[in-house]
Amino acid sequence: MQIVIDAERLTRELAELATFSSAETSPQGTAVTRIVYSQQDQQARTWLKALARRAGFVVREDPVGNTFIRWTGTDASLPAVATGSHIDAIPHAGMYDGTVGVLGGLEAMRALQASGYVPRRSIELVLLTSEEPTRFGIGCLGSRLIAGTLSPERADALVSQVEDFSEGATLAQIRHAAGYTGSLAEVRLPQGHYHGWVELHIEQGPLLEREALPLGLVTSIAAPASYRFTIGGVGGHAGALLMPDRRDALCAAAEIILSVERHTLATGAIDTVATVGTCDVHPGAVNSVPSRVVLQLDIRDTDPDRREGVMQAVRADIQQMKTRRGVTVEEQFVNADQPAQCSTHILGVLRNICNQNGIPYKQMVSRAYHDSLFMAQVAPIAMLFIPCRNGVSHRPDEYASADDIARGTTVLAQTLATLASE
Ligand code: HGY
Ligand code: MN
Ligand code: MN
């Protein structure tokens, strides 16, 4: 069976998908902003569904917008084999994060179709809604609901944090306005729903390029957690309010940010990473002492207990700091997830296919989180990484070569065919 990936078509479609964006142009590269449920996201979904239908696949959408593109197998009663990823993009990001897995998955299915391959198990491409935390402050919204790790009630009550048409609206209001009605309880899929799940994704790190390897086989996915801290101080005039009388919320926030960095480094483990990625200052005037600051913390580790140890140390610092500074600090839990182990069986299939094709590979941990972290609740999972230039991602200069994308798609196609014949 000769599987031929149409690399030219895949490159063209990736470029076309990148046009559904609200980002300004960037001299660094193709900037993409595509926030879930935005006009650009909806245009991209419409475009993708048309491509899928043109290939003869059946398209289904669930109440949160997860989109299932199915090639029905000869034994449709068996659990299907699935692949997929996301097409939403954080502000001013690149054009390959997530999209390589969605369009690569579509291309893998079309190439298998063209090769005359007939799947025993159905093969399903899944576009997962809102993998990025941009709008609702939590990542992997669609796959969490599939996995059942986020309650429909809590999800529907999530409030949009984006200053656009939706500011202050809930997920329930926004998804209904986008045409996604029905109960979120219907999104949940049972354990064992899929026979296997394989996600193709750019590495978003430098290791493959540094070691001149064209493919990464993920062994485990690190566990993300995120928290929101609201620091309450007392505002006032930048000139008249004297230093001894101040309760400056931003100075207090700065101590929290440095405490996070200090205790993360203190674990001595390279797998412990933490980022305070947003800092909203009120009232945000140069000549006004900050009275309120909201920080969002993203902390990850392959070892959730070690991650929790950092949080405990930071909380202890906060306790003494807030007394000393006379400020309040409110911590809001967003998520604290477990890591996911990849399927040894599917990893074996991937290794065999790489060896048969003479493709060198590296087995590695994924420090970025992905929908696969949650699809692990409904299927044995695996992830395929391709290199990205300088390890850059979430930036307009994010780049993966057409050759690497085609190679990853070829291995994906052969893996799906192997699993769908089991
Ligand atoms: O942040 C992440 O790991 C993913 O790219 N959303
Ligand atoms: Mn991302
Ligand atoms: Mn991604």
Side-chain angles (χ1 to χ4, degrees):
M1 174 178 68
Q2 179 67 13
I3 302 171
V4 179
I5 299 301
D6 186 336
E8 191 276 328
R9 172 172 62 182
L10 182 47
T11 302
R12 191 177 66 242
E13 288 171 348
L14 281 164
E16 190 168 352
L17 179 51
T19 63
F20 301 112
S21 162
S22 58
E24 302 107 49
T25 53
S26 163
Q28 287 177 303
T30 305
V32 177
T33 300
R34 189 164 51 241
I35 299 172
V36 67
Y37 299 126
S38 63
Q39 185 190 5
Q40 295 76 22
D41 177 45
Q42 305 217 36
Q43 289 166 343
R45 289 165 176 269
T46 303
W47 172 82
L48 178 72
K49 287 183 285 185
L51 276 187
R53 291 191 174 104
R54 207 175 305 150
F57 301 136
V58 176
V59 179
R60 171 180 80 84
E61 294 173 288
D62 73 12
V64 78
N66 293 320
T67 304
F68 303 85
I69 295 167
R70 178 169 280 232
W71 179 11
T72 305
T74 53
D75 189 344
S77 67
L78 292 171
V81 170
T83 185
S85 194
H86 63 99
I87 63 169
D88 60 319
I90 69 171
H92 216 58
M95 61 178 274
Y96 299 95
D97 173 6
T99 58
V100 163
V102 173
L103 291 178
L106 180 64
E107 181 57 33
M109 287 165 71
R110 288 181 303 200
L112 284 169
Q113 211 178 31
S115 73
Y117 170 78
V118 177
R120 174 171 176 243
R121 296 172 180 273
S122 299
I123 297 178
E124 191 152 78
L125 170 64
V126 187
L127 181 164
L128 290 148
T129 284
S130 198
E131 189 271 353
E132 298 292 3
T134 311
R135 186 176 292 289
F136 296 107
I138 187 168
C140 299
L141 178 65
S143 49
R144 284 177 193 276
L145 285 164
I146 284 176
T149 59
L150 177 66
S151 77
E153 298 71 29
R154 184 174 165 220
D156 256 341
L158 290 171
V159 173
S160 174
Q161 301 176 356
V162 177
E163 290 172 8
D164 63 1
F165 68 94
S166 71
E167 194 170 357
T170 63
L171 169 62
Q173 292 163 325
I174 297 167
R175 70 183 179 90
H176 287 134
Y180 299 111
T181 52
S183 159
L184 290 186
E186 295 162 23
V187 176
R188 178 84 186 267
L189 294 176
Q191 204 166 26
H193 178 76
Y194 287 119
H195 175 63
W197 162 272
V198 185
E199 180 174 4
L200 173 64
H201 203 285
I202 57 172
E203 178 199 344
Q204 297 182 297
L207 302 182
L208 291 176
E209 184 182 62
R210 198 176 286 169
E211 298 177 33
L213 288 169
L215 274 184
L217 308 185
V218 173
T219 53
S220 66
I221 304 172
S226 55
Y227 302 86
R228 197 168 291 120
F229 291 97
T230 302
I231 299 97
V234 173
H237 191 286
L241 181 55
L242 302 180
M243 297 306 283
D245 302 325
R246 291 191 179 195
R247 288 189 267 165
D248 185 322
L250 189 49
C251 292
E255 284 205 46
I256 295 175
I257 295 168
L258 291 175
S259 166
V260 165
E261 183 188 49
R262 185 170 59 253
H263 292 299
T264 301
L265 291 169
T267 68
I270 194 70
D271 286 338
T272 317
V273 289
T275 315
V276 175
T278 67
C279 177
D280 293 322
V281 182
H282 180 82
V286 65
N287 58 347
S288 177
V289 177
S291 56
R292 190 182 71 250
V293 172
V294 179
L295 302 176
Q296 289 191 85
L297 165 62
D298 173 315
I299 179 169
R300 312 180 190 199
D301 202 324
T302 51
D303 176 347
D305 293 338
R306 189 169 52 207
R307 182 190 70 200
E308 188 51 31
V310 172
M311 289 307 298
Q312 292 306 355
V314 169
R315 289 180 183 121
D317 282 358
I318 289 174
Q319 284 311 318
Q320 61 81 12
M321 178 275 293
K322 70 182 189 178
T323 310
R324 174 167 40 84
R325 286 183 171 274
V327 298
T328 59
V329 179
E330 181 205 329
E331 174 186 330
Q332 188 187 350
F333 169 82
V334 178
N335 65 285
D337 303 302
Q338 292 303 307
Q341 299 305 318
C342 292
S343 154
T344 49
H345 169 62
I346 306 178
L347 271 169
V349 169
L350 284 163
R351 282 195 299 270
N352 287 342
I353 287 169
C354 289
N355 295 335
Q356 286 157 17
N357 288 276
I359 301 173
Y361 59 84
K362 172 186 180 67
Q363 298 204 139
M364 60 199 290
V365 168
S366 172
R367 293 193 168 85
Y369 62 72
H370 301 282
D371 290 307
S372 296
L373 183 66
F374 300 97
M375 297 309 282
Q377 305 292 319
V378 298
I381 64 160
M383 288 196 75
L384 252 184
F385 276 173
I386 61 170
C388 46
R389 185 178 58 199
N390 306 325
V392 159
S393 182
H394 284 189
R395 281 181 10 193
D397 52 338
E398 178 184 274
Y399 175 79
S401 74
D403 279 353
D404 284 337
I405 295 170
R407 186 181 299 104
T409 304
T410 301
V411 171
L412 175 66
Q414 293 181 18
T415 304
L416 295 176
T418 304
L419 295 174
S421 301
E422 289 181 340

